[in-house]
Amino acid sequence: MSNPPHRLAVIPGDGIGPEVTAGALAVLDAAEQRFGFTTERTTVPLGAEHYLQTGELLTDEVVATLREHEAILFGAIGDPRVVPGVLERGVILALRREMRQAINLRPVRLYPGVPTPIAGLTPERCDLVVVRENTEGAYVGSGSTVHRGTPAAVAAQESLTTWYATERAVDYAFRLAQQRRGSVTLCHKTNVLVEAGRLWLDVMEAVGSRYPDVETDYVHVDAMCMHLPVSPERFDVVVTDNLFGDIVTDLGAVVQGGLGVAASGNLNLDGTAPSMFEPIHGSAPDIAGRGWANPAGAVLSLALALSALGEGVAAAAVEAAAASVLAELPALSGPAMGATTTEVTERVVARLGQVDPAGAGLPSSLMEQVAAVARG
């Protein structure tokens, strides 16, 4: 008896979002054929065009529709016709909040043959995962400004940290580390953000006592920006707060070759709503429609989605296929990429039928690790 199909919501979004999402869905079609699972897909029209036509951001009706699915595949959001912050807060952050997506998971791994701006860096030295607390901190705190537009203007922006959300993120980091190399590093700024930093340190100590087989470390966020490019091998699983995680993972994306090859997952940990998976590049409206967008970030985000759905073997194969194609491209984006978005997708689809994930030469089976944590 076959398993029921996975229910997948698809939000192509803006700019290059529909292009790279189409690439990821083509790879998904191939993965279904090879590995014997199926999906039911619902396209949800969120983004700039929908907002400009209707004035709607994330409505209750859309939230209800999304909750009927197991996972969300997200393209990109952003358009110069919309004031910055409207779509980001009204759609992306709202989705994370409504779907209770407690964790933003961002792998930072350098694939064999992929160029990096860091001289001498090799793939075996760069295989870490950043676990970013996704619901608190400065990103969700309220703020206010008085006397705006005058020299007397004063802006206040709150940041909130709770034991509950911090423990949830830290516990996930420890469970993932158990599947990997057994090390968790806290990244914060405890010497300046004393109260929030102390709470994070206290949580690390409390949670760490439950995982005696996992080693712990601490690094200030400014020091992390120095260590990550020059000695990424120091890190296995890094856990950090919302703001620091956003900054550090963009640096990590550069280390691994660029934003176009970086994937992310926004994880719901309690099964009350779907997790969401997206490439971390933006909508890039200046190149939309030109065929210059690399679909690798979207394809690797699909791999994360499959791992979270329990399809760990298929996820590892998708990652291995994408990594092998990336190694063959003269450049990772733009006309110098040597292939269009569609052609890169076709190469990944063809490679998926040939690749053996276990023999692909990747530093570790990250997708299987994420799948194991999801099952646990």
Side-chain angles (χ1 to χ4, degrees):
M1 183 176 178
S2 61
N3 294 323
H6 296 297
R7 301 181 307 280
L8 181 67
V10 181
I11 304 175
D14 307 319
I16 63 172
E19 300 169 54
V20 298
T21 300
L25 293 177
V27 174
L28 177 58
D29 289 339
E32 290 184 24
Q33 292 180 9
R34 177 175 175 185
F35 295 99
F37 65 93
T38 58
T39 59
E40 290 180 355
R41 307 170 197 176
T42 303
T43 300
V44 179
L46 282 175
E49 288 296 339
H50 182 75
Y51 172 72
L52 290 170
Q53 292 174 13
T54 67
E56 295 177 347
L57 293 167
L58 185 65
T59 65
D60 292 342
E61 291 76 13
V62 170
V63 169
T65 296
L66 291 173
R67 284 185 177 275
E68 296 173 355
H69 297 78
E70 296 173 74
I72 303 168
L73 192 63
F74 189 94
I77 271 190
D79 190 294
R81 295 172 295 172
V82 181
V83 175
V86 171
L87 296 172
E88 292 82 357
R89 298 189 71 87
V91 177
I92 298 175
L93 294 184
L95 273 171
R96 293 174 183 174
R97 180 180 65 250
E98 292 292 338
M99 300 298 133
R100 293 174 56 86
Q101 292 164 351
I103 300 297
N104 181 271
L105 187 72
R106 292 198 182 181
V108 179
R109 34 189 3 213
L110 178 61
Y111 293 110
V114 174
T116 171
I118 310 303
L121 185 61
T122 55
E124 60 271 15
R125 293 178 53 207
C126 185
D127 175 24
L128 62 120
V129 183
V130 179
V131 175
R132 167 186 168 191
E133 199 290 314
N134 212 26
T135 65
E136 295 186 342
Y139 276 29
V140 295
S142 60
S144 62
T145 302
V146 296
H147 308 305
R148 186 188 304 272
T150 77
V154 177
Q157 190 76 50
E158 298 175 355
S159 179
L160 180 70
T161 304
T162 69
W163 184 283
Y164 171 76
T166 304
E167 182 181 35
R168 187 170 53 181
V170 170
D171 184 76
Y172 182 89
F174 273 84
R175 288 189 287 127
L176 183 58
Q178 284 187 314
Q179 300 296 324
R180 291 175 51 83
R181 303 193 303 275
S183 174
V184 174
T185 299
L186 171 62
C187 174
H188 208 276
K189 189 65 176 170
T190 57
N191 58 339
V192 175
L193 304 179
V194 178
E195 299 303 326
R198 172 48 59 187
L199 191 150
W200 274 88
L201 288 170
D202 289 346
V203 170
M204 280 285 291
E205 183 178 358
V207 174
S209 67
R210 305 199 295 261
Y211 298 92
D213 55 329
V214 176
E215 297 181 353
T216 61
D217 190 14
Y218 172 82
V219 62
H220 288 322
V221 65
D222 46 346
M224 171 65 80
C225 292
M226 176 184 68
H227 294 310
L228 181 55
V230 299
S231 54
E233 65 272 19
R234 170 177 172 176
F235 305 108
D236 179 20
V237 177
V238 176
V239 64
T240 188
D241 87 336
N242 211 339
L243 177 58
F244 296 149
D246 192 9
I247 296 168
V248 165
T249 51
D250 278 2
L251 173 60
V254 173
V255 171
Q256 70 184 105
L259 295 177
V261 300
S264 75
N266 297 282
L267 306 185
N268 174 288
L269 301 181
D270 57 18
T272 58
S275 298
M276 180 168 67
F277 303 88
E278 58 179 309
I280 73 171
H281 59 65
S283 59
D286 56 323
I287 66 168
R290 299 190 181 189
W292 294 351
N294 191 331
V299 171
L300 292 169
S301 297
L302 168 67
L304 279 175
L306 291 174
S307 68
L309 290 171
E311 302 289 349
V313 175
V318 168
E319 181 191 28
S324 68
V325 170
L326 283 172
E328 300 168 353
L329 299 178
L332 295 181
S333 63
M337 189 166 62
T340 65
T341 306
T342 300
E343 289 168 345
V344 173
T345 299
E346 290 171 348
R347 291 189 195 181
V348 176
V349 167
R351 199 65 49 82
L352 184 61
Q354 307 164 357
V355 72
D356 173 13
L362 300 185
S364 64
S365 182
L366 171 65
M367 302 306 166
E368 289 277 28
Q369 295 158 3
V370 174
V373 176
R375 289 192 298 267

